[in-house]
Amino acid sequence: MSPAPAIEVKGLRKSYGAFEAVRGVDLVVPVGGVFALLGPNGAGKTTTVEILEGYRSRSAGEVEVLGIDPAEGGTALRSRIGIVLQECAIDPYLTVREVLAQRAAYYPAPRPVSEVVGLVGLDAEVRKRVKVLSGGQQRRLDLALALVGDPELIFLDEPTTGFDPGARRAAWEVISSLGALGKTILLTTHYMDEAQHLADSVAVLSAGRVVALGPPGSLGGRDRAAHQVRFSLPGPLGAQLPQLDPPARRGDREGEVLVMTTNPTATLHALTGWALGRGVELEGLEVTRPTLEDVYLELTADPDPVGAPRAAAAGATSRGPAGSGRAVRIPRRPRR
Ligand code: ATP
């Protein structure tokens, strides 16, 4: 028998008055590792996560978090989960140590405060009042607050917004190590590189529905999509290129050549053989595949997709301009 998942959601729905923000979401998040919830502004991520955390009621569907219905979980569930909010109300006059010690007191077996500040790189700030922390340091404190209880399941809502590149990498290491320790992380993020780097699995929400589900490397058929070979040539040489199937075409930039191929080894062999024979340099030669961001933009371009998740879709298809139909960003409401 397979072990019980950390989170199981069936047919989840949530309406705000006449507006249905979550429209029949099914999710299974296994124990251990990082599961990312992606989606444009207004897709229903926060609503879904807040229902899982027990902060919001649902209109329909079944939800189990660590085997408990969060609507009835109370402190039994809260003591087993950690939460990082985009913005949360912390007493700005307390010091970093005091805030963490206060939070630790809610948990049965917390981590030592000194260990947690070390993990998130706040050792030097431990005596500072929260109000003097920089934006990035406050986000690190949010992460520390989620870790101090040593919970089994951690909800991270855009945990690295405002971090400098070094701090982001450090936070990624902390998050990865938590996943490796068997903790379950439910990550909400708008950074595709973050999801690509951290997540074992991602679900893309759009207009309240799951439109794709799977590992970031194969989402939307990424692993089967054609490679793009790009390089630049001085003007007239383009016409002399070897015959390729499909043929080379003009790229986006002046003098750029683009070849779409499902057989990059043979394509590169033909092109580099041709170039070496003529003593020509294929300038800026690169071989790429659609990134997670490319696939994500395709999947979320349609504001109200109908039908089942497109987990098995073979390659991206063009369905209108990426970014159309996005909802306006709603400022997060402080909850504590
Ligand atoms: P973002 O990426 O901007 O944080 P999100 O995916 O988290 O977006 P939600 O905050 O879950 O989206 O919102 C989903 C939809 O539900 C939005 O259209 C939002 O306006 C609406 N909504 C959220 N909370 C409420 C509320 N309390 N009352 C009415 N509508 C709400």
Side-chain angles (χ1 to χ4, degrees):
M1 206 174 77
S2 54
I7 297 173
E8 191 160 17
V9 174
K10 283 186 203 149
L12 178 64
R13 291 181 177 274
K14 173 67 184 178
S15 296
Y16 297 109
F19 174 68
E20 196 172 34
V22 177
R23 306 175 183 192
V25 162
D26 297 322
L27 286 178
V28 177
V29 178
V31 170
V34 180
F35 188 99
L37 204 51
L38 311 178
N41 296 144
K45 302 179 300 294
T46 306
T47 301
T48 301
V49 168
E50 288 184 353
I51 291 168
L52 299 178
E53 293 166 349
Y55 282 104
R56 201 171 278 281
S57 64
R58 60 188 185 261
S59 306
E62 292 167 35
V63 180
E64 278 203 355
V65 176
L66 302 175
I68 298 170
D69 181 343
E72 293 154 18
T75 47
L77 180 61
R78 300 246 168 101
S79 65
R80 295 172 65 195
I81 64 177
I83 299 174
V84 175
L85 304 173
Q86 257 178 27
E87 290 166 26
C88 60
I90 300 171
D91 184 341
Y93 292 96
L94 293 182
T95 65
V96 166
R97 186 199 302 282
E98 287 165 346
V99 167
L100 287 168
Q102 204 177 54
R103 176 67 63 87
Y106 289 113
Y107 288 89
R111 285 170 180 255
V113 169
S114 56
E115 183 189 311
V116 175
V117 290
L119 271 174
V120 301
L122 275 181
D123 321 60
E125 280 70 36
V126 77
R127 289 191 173 76
K128 287 186 184 167
R129 293 190 195 284
V130 172
K131 67 177 184 144
V132 305
L133 298 180
S134 72
Q137 288 169 342
Q138 286 188 15
R139 300 300 296 136
R140 294 190 206 195
L141 176 58
D142 291 341
L143 187 54
L145 283 165
L147 303 183
V148 74
D150 199 19
E152 292 161 60
L153 170 62
I154 303 168
F155 292 94
L156 299 179
D157 185 11
E158 298 181 30
T160 63
T161 301
F163 280 28
D164 64 50
R168 277 185 89 206
R169 288 286 165 159
W172 288 1
E173 266 175 42
V174 173
I175 295 166
S176 293
S177 62
L178 290 168
L181 282 173
K183 309 282 183 190
T184 307
I185 322 280
L186 186 72
L187 168 75
T188 317
T189 184
H190 287 296
Y191 298 122
M192 294 302 126
D193 58 339
E194 186 158 287
Q196 172 76 54
H197 189 92
L198 290 176
D200 302 294
S201 229
V202 306
V204 180
L205 273 188
S206 181
R209 295 190 177 96
V210 176
V211 295
L213 192 62
S218 57
L219 200 78
R222 258 183 87 197
D223 51 340
R224 299 188 302 278
H227 289 73
Q228 300 183 350
V229 179
R230 288 171 196 274
F231 53 92
S232 292
L233 287 176
L237 275 171
Q240 301 167 23
L241 278 169
Q243 273 302 315
L244 297 167
D245 184 24
R249 51 182 153 114
R250 221 170 332 150
D252 306 329
R253 289 189 295 267
E254 185 65 33
E256 189 183 66
V257 179
L258 171 64
V259 184
M260 303 291 289
T261 177
T262 50
N263 191 351
T265 310
T267 302
L268 284 174
H269 184 255
L271 286 170
T272 52
W274 172 85
L276 287 171
R278 283 164 179 73
V280 170
E281 184 62 36
L282 302 177
E283 274 175 30
L285 175 66
E286 61 175 22
V287 183
T288 56
R289 278 193 141 170
T291 62
L292 182 59
E293 184 159 297
D294 294 331
V295 170
Y296 167 86
L297 288 172
E298 283 290 336
L299 288 165
T300 56
D302 181 348
D304 195 6
V306 177
R310 286 191 286 267
T317 54
S318 181
R319 292 183 296 108
S324 61
R326 303 291 164 81
V328 173
R329 184 173 189 81
I330 315 288
R332 185 73 74 233
R333 302 156 294 281
R335 281 176 281 165
R336 286 170 297 166

